[in-house]
Amino acid sequence: MLEIKNLTKYYDLSGGMVSRLSSGLKLLKAVDHIDFSVPEGKTFGLVGESGCGKSTTARLITRLISATEGEVFFYGRDILRLPKREVRDLRKHIQMIFQDPYASLNPRMRIIDIVGRPLNHFYELKGKKKRDRATELLDLVGLRPEHLDRYPHEFSGGQRQRIGIARALAAGPKLIIADEPVSSLDVSVQAQVLNLLKKLQRELNLSLIFISHDLNVVGYLADIVAVMYAGKIMEIAPVAEIFRAPLNPYTKALLASNPTVGSAAETIRSPLKGEVPLPINPPPGCRLEPRCPIRVDKCKTIEPPLEEKKHLHQVACHEV
């Protein structure tokens, strides 16, 4: 249902014209020519360290920010080329759940107005019809009808995130992008929200892009996992394959840093050394090269393409 081709987002940090002439062009390559696809009715996990470009990717897909280059096909239509008047219809089909439930809800609005706004905007529901539908949505996410007349400050973090989920569902989307929706919640509440998302995805046949820095969380929810590093996709595979037999050194390092019983991490003893490089004018080779334990000379100058090395298993690495 969703196909990403050559998606790119660069930020020019050069400053004014004098700065450009004196020091050259400085490009922060937040997302750098990435490709992946999301099957209908499946959960696609996007995982990587903070700052690797995951949230930027989400905002590009939803057109909250504009892309530098690339194509995003939603049911065969390039949504990056849609005129502004047609973006409203896109919002109906692609909704987003944000990371911080305290910042993503307007503190001056009651829950009936927060959840009800998409109902009015897309379906022109008002009065009793809007309230009845909002009540159904709250019930879907485990909240009660009396919560409709309360304000966000009267709820816990987990309850606020449930409200955010209800607001996303109100539009009747086909695709939901969840941008680290449990990272700011307590562990016990995280489990509840993850179980809720899994239940909704199954019952409503939603397609879901789930973004996280925690590979174990993504592994619980996703069908397919893409591992991102410094603006690039390093590996894509079915979730069981990622945990059983990861191929890229970065994926192995992620598993080793947060192992679970029965995963390949138990046998991995090659953690990466050094820090994540700044994505400003990066060198032409592999982004992982300065930290990679299996690097060779060509890794410095030739960027490895994302290729299928096993069935349904794509990897960007010269040595795999």
Side-chain angles (χ1 to χ4, degrees):
M1 70 176 301
L2 186 77
E3 188 174 6
I4 310 295
K5 292 185 176 182
N6 203 37
L7 187 60
T8 304
K9 180 62 178 179
Y10 293 168
Y11 293 96
D12 185 358
L13 305 182
S14 303
M17 183 60 68
V18 174
S19 175
R20 293 189 189 194
L21 292 174
S22 62
S23 59
L25 190 65
K26 293 182 181 178
L27 291 178
L28 189 155
K29 299 186 176 183
V31 175
D32 196 5
H33 299 91
I34 65 171
D35 302 87
F36 64 85
S37 58
V38 181
E40 188 169 18
K42 300 294 184 180
T43 298
F44 184 92
L46 187 58
V47 66
E49 295 172 80
S50 296
C52 71
K54 305 185 302 297
S55 294
T56 302
T57 300
R59 284 160 172 74
L60 290 170
I61 295 171
T62 53
R63 283 197 55 169
L64 294 178
I65 59 175
S66 58
T68 303
E69 191 179 340
E71 299 167 310
V72 176
F73 292 98
F74 184 65
Y75 287 106
R77 191 178 188 190
D78 186 0
I79 61 179
L80 298 186
R81 305 293 180 265
L82 290 179
K84 287 186 177 180
R85 64 181 180 273
E86 296 184 33
V87 173
R88 168 177 166 156
D89 188 57
L90 173 68
R91 302 266 189 257
K92 180 178 178 180
H93 299 299
I94 302 177
Q95 283 286 307
M96 195 161 172
I97 302 167
F98 296 92
Q99 178 177 355
D100 186 355
Y102 291 90
S104 62
L105 302 180
N106 189 328
R108 298 185 179 183
M109 294 175 66
R110 295 179 303 156
I111 306 310
I112 178 61
D113 299 314
I114 291 172
V115 176
R117 174 167 284 188
L119 298 174
N120 179 255
H121 186 70
F122 294 118
Y123 302 103
E124 299 183 354
L125 294 184
K126 299 178 181 179
K128 186 177 184 301
K129 289 184 178 179
K130 182 175 80 171
R131 191 175 188 89
D132 287 346
R133 179 55 183 155
T135 300
E136 293 174 2
L137 290 166
L138 286 197
D139 182 61
L140 270 178
V141 299
L143 296 175
R144 300 191 300 274
E146 57 266 29
H147 290 152
L148 285 173
D149 296 310
R150 297 182 185 177
Y151 289 87
H153 73 268
E154 299 178 73
F155 296 91
S156 66
Q159 288 175 317
R160 289 185 188 212
Q161 200 58 288
R162 289 172 185 264
I163 294 166
I165 295 170
R167 178 178 58 184
L169 292 174
K174 298 176 181 177
L175 172 67
I176 288 182
I177 302 176
D179 185 11
E180 302 212 40
V182 299
S183 63
S184 62
L185 306 178
D186 293 339
V187 174
S188 60
V189 181
Q190 284 186 16
Q192 295 172 14
V193 174
L194 289 173
N195 287 331
L196 173 63
L197 287 171
K198 198 165 191 175
K199 173 176 174 287
L200 292 171
Q201 189 272 333
R202 182 179 64 252
E203 293 180 353
L204 302 179
N205 194 34
L206 293 169
S207 299
L208 184 67
I209 297 178
F210 186 88
I211 296 170
S212 178
H213 61 271
D214 189 335
L215 192 53
N216 290 330
V217 170
V218 170
Y220 173 72
L221 202 64
D223 301 293
I224 305 164
V225 177
V227 179
M228 198 167 185
Y229 178 80
K232 304 290 291 187
I233 298 289
M234 308 302 285
E235 186 165 5
I236 302 176
V239 63
E241 184 74 4
I242 283 284
F243 278 83
R244 185 184 64 82
L247 297 179
N248 192 281
Y250 179 65
T251 308
K252 294 179 180 181
L254 277 184
L255 280 167
S257 68
N258 193 14
T260 56
V261 175
S263 77
E266 295 175 0
T267 62
I268 296 172
R269 296 293 182 268
S270 57
L272 302 179
K273 297 179 180 179
E275 299 295 328
V276 180
L278 290 175
I280 300 174
N281 292 347
C286 178
R287 297 286 168 85
L288 190 65
E289 187 273 334
R291 308 175 66 196
C292 183
I294 62 171
R295 63 183 180 271
V296 294
D297 287 343
K298 67 178 179 180
C299 296
K300 291 183 179 181
T301 56
I302 302 174
E303 182 180 316
L306 186 67
E307 297 178 322
E308 188 172 78
K309 301 295 178 88
K310 297 168 63 177
H311 181 59
L312 300 178
H313 197 150
Q314 301 177 66
V315 187
C317 183
H318 292 304
E319 291 299 290
V320 172

